[in-house]
Amino acid sequence: MQPLLIIRSERGQMSAIERRIADFILDNAHLLRDYSSQQLANALGISQSSVVKFSQKLGFKGYPDLKYSIGEAVARNGDSAEPAAAGDESNVQDALARELWQAKSRAEEETRLLNPPERIEAVAAMLRGAGKAFAVGIGEDSVVARAFATRLSLLGFLAIHHFDPVLVPAEVATSQPDDVLLLFSERGEAATLCQLARIFRARGGKVISVTRHTANPLRAHADLSLLVSAHDEARHVEPLLYHAALQQLLDLVFLLLCGDESRRRQFDDYHEHVRSLLDA
């Protein structure tokens, strides 16, 4: 894994001092070769040992190893983006589109590295064995929950989306031990969803949380967690990266479920039915 990807993906789990080091490195990766560990510590107003411990926590032998690895990554990736000519709207849009695509690609790669194949397969296996699958989210997360529940339904799963978490406990009261509850929450801090997870697990059901890669309470109540990493300084851009990486993650789970030929056939039959209705 590239060192800068490691730093971005782990940033949400870091202490305040570690985040300061991480942010400095991410913003100045191309200049890091000129900094010794002591110079970096002086620039941030921290101890040299904090820099060394930061490097070791990320899996490197020490700061020189981290600096060398980052230097290699910067040299390998380079900076292919060319500045757009002033006043040329076409070039400006091309540059903007390229930057957005690159940012989405980074978010997708970080997210993929946070969710190893065995975890994705475990989520797919849990859904395959589910009697019913409940999907719940709040706000924008509810839109994602509904879309994923719809896709599950098209494969023949008994998937139920609830737009109001307050009404879910009544439905959960009838759940069975082989049922699965999917909880979508970007921040993972919604008390209502945490309470749902506790109730569901108390009845023997399994819980899958879908959140950012942070230490949040919802993850603590889940049997399995899907994690999303998406960071950007621009507040209006970061949600775009989050939803792009999240969609890619859910699409991968969906494709694994499509590996069942009977499920895939049911999906194809549904689309043939819809086409016949549209053509009528």
Side-chain angles (χ1 to χ4, degrees), residues 235-257:
R235 186 171 295 179
H236 63 287
V237 173
E238 192 168 65
L240 306 180
L241 307 186
Y242 176 81
H243 286 289
L246 171 59
Q247 191 59 60
Q248 178 74 6
L249 181 61
L250 296 178
D251 287 347
L252 180 56
V253 175
F254 175 77
L255 288 179
L256 287 177
L257 295 174

Side-chain angles (χ1 to χ4, degrees), residues 37-240:
S37 58
Q38 185 61 64
Q39 289 171 325
L40 178 56
N42 291 342
L44 295 172
I46 60 177
S47 67
Q48 184 182 20
S49 63
S50 294
V51 176
V52 175
K53 290 177 181 177
F54 173 86
S55 305
Q56 294 173 339
K57 187 174 180 179
L58 292 176
F60 297 92
K61 295 178 181 178
Y63 176 73
D65 187 28
L66 172 62
K67 182 169 71 169
Y68 177 77
S69 182
I70 290 175
E72 278 197 326
V74 170
R76 184 166 55 250
N77 294 335
D79 186 6
S80 59
E82 298 180 358
D88 189 332
E89 292 186 4
S90 176
N91 284 347
V92 169
Q93 286 192 20
D94 286 346
L96 188 62
R98 184 165 54 249
E99 289 172 7
L100 180 59
W101 178 254
Q102 290 171 347
K104 285 183 175 181
S105 297
R106 286 195 299 271
E108 185 280 325
E109 185 175 4
E110 292 169 18
T111 297
R112 179 159 36 86
L113 293 171
L114 286 172
N115 298 275
E118 54 270 22
R119 182 185 301 170
I120 303 295
E121 177 53 43
V123 168
M126 189 175 286
L127 290 172
R128 290 189 197 103
K132 296 189 294 293
F134 300 89
V136 184
I138 298 175
E140 287 189 37
D141 292 309
S142 180
V143 177
V144 179
R146 179 180 180 180
F148 191 66
T150 299
R151 285 195 171 190
L152 292 179
S153 297
L154 295 180
L155 290 176
F157 291 95
L158 179 53
I160 304 165
H161 166 252
H162 281 279
F163 65 90
D164 187 349
V166 177
L167 301 178
V168 178
E171 184 86 37
V172 167
T174 66
S175 64
Q176 300 298 317
D178 62 346
D179 291 343
V180 173
L181 175 63
L182 289 134
L183 295 175
F184 294 80
S185 176
E186 181 176 352
R187 302 298 173 184
E189 297 173 349
T192 302
L193 299 186
C194 291
Q195 178 66 13
L196 283 179
R198 284 194 292 269
I199 295 173
F200 203 80
R201 294 186 72 187
R203 293 189 57 83
K206 300 297 183 182
V207 175
I208 299 172
S209 67
V210 186
T211 71
R212 275 189 175 274
H213 177 49
T214 57
N216 60 74
L218 189 57
R219 284 179 62 184
H221 293 294
D223 296 282
L224 289 172
S225 295
L226 291 176
L227 306 173
V228 179
S229 177
H231 307 284
D232 197 275
E233 293 180 358
R235 186 171 295 179
H236 63 287
V237 173
E238 192 168 65
L240 306 180

